[in-house]
Each structure stands twice: as structure tokens, then as C-alpha cells.
Amino acid sequence: MNAPIIDPLQGDFPEVIEEYLEHGVMKCIAFNRRGTLLAAGCSDGNCVIWDFETRGIAKELHDKECNAAITSVCWSKYGHRILVSAADKSLTLWDVVSGERITRTTLQQTPLQARLHPGSSTPSLCLACPLSSAPMIVDLTTGSTTVLPVSVPDAGNGLVPASRNKFSDGTPPFTPTAACFNKFGDLVYVGNSKGEILIIDYKTIQVHAMVPVTGGAVIKNIVFSRNGQYLLTNSNDRTLRIYENLLPLKDGRRALDGIEETHKELNGVEKLKAVGSKCLTLFRDFQDSVTKVHWKAPCFSGDGEWVVGGCASKGEHKIYIWDRAGHLVKILEGPKEALIDLAWHPVHPIVVSVSLTGLVYIWAKDYTENWSAFAPDFKELEENEEYVEREDEFDLVPETEKVKESDVNEDDEVDIVTLEKDSAFSDSDMSQDELCFLPAIPSPDVPEQQDKGVESSSKLVDSNHSGSPLSEEAGPNGRATNHASSPLEDNSIADDAGGSRMKRKRKPSEKILELQAEKVKKPLKPSGRLSKVKNKSVADLDNGNGFLGDDVSD
């Protein structure tokens, strides 16, 4: 948004439902980096790309091999590719411009979430979080997978604690585990079922740090802010927590090595916790102390100033918005439909939410008209005031302007070429090759019947005649059967009785339409006979179109 024109006393967050999008049953959504395109995964396996500026469908990606519901969608760094995970255990990488499928990989478990590597413009690696398995790095080119650790071995025996139950194949079960890349993708942050945040180098599959979460509840969601400075977690204890990232945005892996060197005297879990305390620090936590609701799909705003979370209660479409200091600033209440996913626009104060019925609601700010903003010296009055004009107020050259001197140096050159960087895109990974819009492909027009309007007008005349004084007899369906009706009406009745639509060779003239209107407006006597027409022949009235019937008295 244009920051200078925003009222500083009002928060820059959405307030009302501006519009909704409808296409099938949509399940999940994701914006590209600029917020110009919105991808939505549907329950039939299709992925729809909306042009968010025009709110129209720009592209539809359809995989003939996939008919299962889409569980997540993810854009690549510059928006040229989209990764789609589905309930049939598949991961599909699409080329956005051409709409062609690049690769398709099938996992052993259903991926609940999949994220492309953020450090490459054409990524071939992704981070998948399956339903009943540990997070894994998937090579989309070869289909190979690398399972990431989700727990730290005990200090005593170096073994992972045994699980209570096992699957039929002997593998231990996992609760759905959350994981995400950091800003540049050199580290993976994993939230496990023991309430711990693990910092992992996915290349060596080694845990370098551990941050215990207060309460030890299961971590359901974990996401970084756009600038990479804050980490948001959603735990099973109905609390959202913000952690400040103490590692540098670039070369975080190298910074970890330096921290580990300072804690050589420690070993095992104690060393991991000591390193973790130098990586993340708790900044704020959020919860509804009254209702104690669970949260769904939490995320940051585009600038990281606001935190948003959806209410996970059934039958409620509520969105809570906090500022980063921890104050609840707004509760958005939508229709009586459960919320399943939401996303904040990368640039504008817009939130997009997905309901259980498959509709996508667009929440925007409710701007009020402020006409005084067009004139800087304009003053709004609450009530009438007596105004005393100045002596030189209406002079051609007021004395005050003569004395006043301009502070602007007219000799300075004005730079109209250099573009100011947007604060939301001030990072160093800008690219001229970024895909912001898709070319519009016009759909062919469907030819309409030329005589469709004639048929509807004739049926309207028939409905007006039914029950009118012009009707002599009523048919079994309540339609008037007037023997003195015009051929145009007879044809329409024959069309309805026969059940077929017949094309007319010619349209009625203007005079015929005028006479039809007069006949409807002026009810005649109950005898049903038309009045005599004096000094006019049938040919003069009809003008060759056959309007008057045979039953005309001379």
C-alpha cells in the first residue's frame, strides 16, 4: 500500500469481506511473491491459478492421473513453477506458463504439505511433510527421498526412545510433523511431537541445535516470516509463539559452526540446547484466554508486523489478528462455515481464507471516503462557524504570497528514472525474470440464437393474455386459447404444445409491436370480439405481416 495516504491511527489490516472466488471445491491456497497470482488446489485434483488483479482464472492445471484432493500448493521463487501435493501420495511439479507437467513423484505416505527449496529459481528439491512419516527431502528429478530426524537421541545410550505402537511393517508411527526451510534454504526447522524445534542441515542430515518449547506440546505448524527474522509456531496447547531468529539470514549454516565451537565442552542434548539458545529466542506468545480455541493455518503479514490465525472450531469462520507486540487488534467473523486455510497478501492488507464449502473469501480494508485529503489546506467543520475573511484574501496577488518565499530549488534535477525499492522486496534476490502475470487467453464466444428474443417476447404476450378479458376459453394448463389471436401468438402456442422451438422467418414490425401493446393495455368486452376497424383495411394495418387474424369484423 501507499504508506503516506494511510491513516496512522488505523491499523493496516483487513476488516470486511470484499469478494469471494468460486471454482469447484477449493482446499488450499498460496500467493506468488508479488501477490499478483493466487494458486488454489481443488478437491478434484485440479490446480486453478487466479489473476488476483482481475479476479479471473488465468490458468487451470489438470493432471489426468490425479483425481484426489489437493493438500498443498507452493510457488517457486520467481513464480515459474508450482509444486502440488495430493491425497493420492503424489508430488507434481508444473510449468506455470506452458501449463505442462514437469515431473510427478509418488511417496509412500500422503504429503500434507510440500515446500519447494527457496534458494533456487528452478528448484528440484522440496521438503515434504507426510501424514504418518518423518519430514523428508525429495529430489523431484530422480524421485529419491532423504528422511530427516525428528528427535534427539538420549545422552545415556545414544538411542532414540522406543515408540509405544508400531505399524504392521514394524516402522514406528509418527504424528504429523511440521517443518520448513529458512529464508535461503540452507537449514530446515522441524517441530516434533515432543515440543521441540530442531535445526537440521538437510545435506548432512545432522541436528545442530534444539529449542524446547514451553509446555512440550505437539507442534502442528511452523512458518517463517517473509523477511526471515521471525519464526511462528502453532502448538497443541492452543498457543501461537513467535521466536526471533538470531542467526544471519545468509550463511546460517556457517554461523552454526561458529556457535558450536564456543560450546566444545558440552555434549549431547545439553550442547544442542545451548546452541539452540543462540539461534532462537522466544519473542511473544498468543492465545485466546477466554475460549481456548485451537488455531489453524497461522501466518505473518507481508511485512511481518501482524500475525493472523484461523479458528479451528467447527462451524465458525473467525480470523484473529494480533500485532507483533501481542495485542489482539481485530477478530474477523465470516459465514457459518469452517475455515480450512488462509493466506496474507504479500504486499496489501488483504487476507484470503478458504471455507469448508470450497469458497475463497477475500478480506480487505474498509476504506472510508475522506474528501479533505484532496486539498491539504481544507478543514472539516463539525458545525457551522462564522468566518472572517482577510483583507487581501480575494486579491489577485495576496500580500501574504508576496512575502512568502519558496524553499524549493528550481535548478535541481528531478530523477524520474530511478525506481524506489519496495520494503517488501528489498532483499537481494530480485530478478527481472520474475513471473508476475500470465498472458490472457480469450475464450471463444458461444453463438446465440438470433430469434431467441422473439420467442421470449411471444411467450410474454401469451402469459399476458391468459386470464385477460381477451380470452374466451382456458386450456388445461391455464393458458388462454383465443381463436382471434394473431399468428405470432398461434405459433408460440404451437411451439409450447409441440415441445419444439421453431425459427421464424421474419421479425414483427414496429407497428405490430405497438398494436400488441395496445391490445394488452386496453381490455375489451367479455364477448372476446375485437372492435371494428374503421377506414383502415387489413393491408394498411398489417402492412403485409399478417398481424390481424381472420376473425375481424368489417
Side-chain angles (χ1 to χ4, degrees), residues 67-79:
N67 295 320
I70 303 299
T71 58
S72 71
V73 289
C74 178
W75 292 84
S76 63
K77 184 177 181 179
Y78 296 139

Side-chain angles (χ1 to χ4, degrees), residues 179-470:
C180 69
F181 285 108
N182 63 347
K183 181 174 176 60
F184 291 99
D186 54 348
L187 295 173
V188 175
Y189 288 68
V190 175
N192 60 18
S193 59
K194 298 167 62 177
E196 299 168 345
I197 301 175
L198 306 180
I199 303 177
I200 303 172
D201 182 2
Y202 71 90
K203 294 181 180 179
T204 60
I205 321 176
Q206 183 179 358
V207 179
H208 288 274
M210 182 181 69
V211 180
V213 177
T214 305
V218 177
I219 298 177
K220 300 188 296 183
N221 302 98
I222 184 169
V223 60
F224 265 99
S225 62
R226 184 182 183 87
N227 55 16
Q229 296 179 356
Y230 296 95
L231 179 70
L232 178 64
T233 63
N234 176 25
S235 300
N236 215 20
D237 59 356
R238 311 178 187 189
T239 304
L240 300 177
R241 294 178 176 87
I242 293 182
Y243 291 87
E244 186 177 358
N245 184 20
L246 303 179
L247 294 176
L249 298 181
K250 286 189 176 181
D251 296 330
R253 175 67 184 86
R254 186 179 303 174
L256 272 176
D257 293 337
I259 297 174
E260 289 178 345
E261 289 293 329
T262 60
H263 296 85
K264 287 183 177 181
E265 68 279 1
L266 300 177
N267 294 315
V269 178
E270 295 180 359
K271 181 178 180 180
L272 295 177
K273 289 183 179 180
V275 176
S277 63
K278 301 295 183 180
C279 300
L280 294 175
T281 178
L282 182 62
F283 183 77
R284 199 74 63 192
D285 56 4
F286 311 93
Q287 64 177 347
D288 191 338
S289 57
V290 178
T291 59
K292 297 289 185 181
V293 297
H294 286 277
W295 305 110
K296 202 161 193 177
C299 62
F300 287 96
S301 61
D303 55 3
E305 294 295 329
W306 310 98
V307 177
V308 60
C311 177
S313 302
K314 294 182 179 179
E316 289 187 355
H317 199 97
K318 289 185 178 181
I319 301 174
Y320 290 68
I321 300 176
W322 297 269
D323 60 9
R324 211 165 53 196
H327 303 105
L328 180 64
V329 296
K330 192 72 176 179
I331 299 178
L332 307 178
E333 297 188 13
K336 299 297 182 182
E337 304 169 1
L339 184 147
I340 58 177
D341 196 12
L342 62 86
W344 194 298
H345 193 277
V347 182
H348 302 304
I350 296 176
V351 170
V352 180
S353 61
V354 184
S355 68
L356 189 62
T357 58
L359 297 179
V360 171
Y361 294 97
I362 301 174
W363 301 78
K365 190 173 178 59
D366 187 16
Y367 293 100
T368 57
E369 294 181 353
N370 185 12
W371 293 96
S372 63
F374 293 96
D377 56 348
F378 186 83
K379 180 182 178 182
E380 293 183 351
L381 300 179
E382 298 294 336
E383 57 184 10
N384 292 334
E385 296 180 4
E386 185 178 357
Y387 178 72
V388 179
E389 65 182 43
R390 300 191 314 270
E391 184 67 26
D392 59 343
E393 185 170 1
F394 296 100
D395 294 346
L396 293 178
V397 181
E399 295 293 334
T400 56
E401 292 187 3
K402 294 179 181 178
V403 178
K404 189 184 301 182
E405 295 181 359
S406 176
D407 297 333
V408 179
N409 188 2
E410 298 181 356
D411 296 333
D412 290 344
E413 294 183 359
V414 180
D415 186 5
I416 60 174
V417 178
T418 305
L419 296 176
E420 293 184 0
K421 290 186 177 181
D422 193 339
S423 59
F425 304 100
S426 59
D427 48 1
S428 59
D429 55 353
M430 297 291 293
S431 173
Q432 299 294 333
D433 298 332
E434 187 171 358
L435 178 65
C436 296
F437 298 98
L438 288 173
I441 302 176
S443 57
D445 296 334
V446 179
E448 298 181 357
Q449 295 182 2
Q450 296 181 355
D451 301 322
K452 187 176 182 180
V454 180
E455 293 178 8
S456 60
S457 63
S458 64
K459 292 183 180 180
L460 179 62
V461 173
D462 291 340
S463 62
N464 291 334
H465 288 179
S466 60
S468 65
L470 292 176

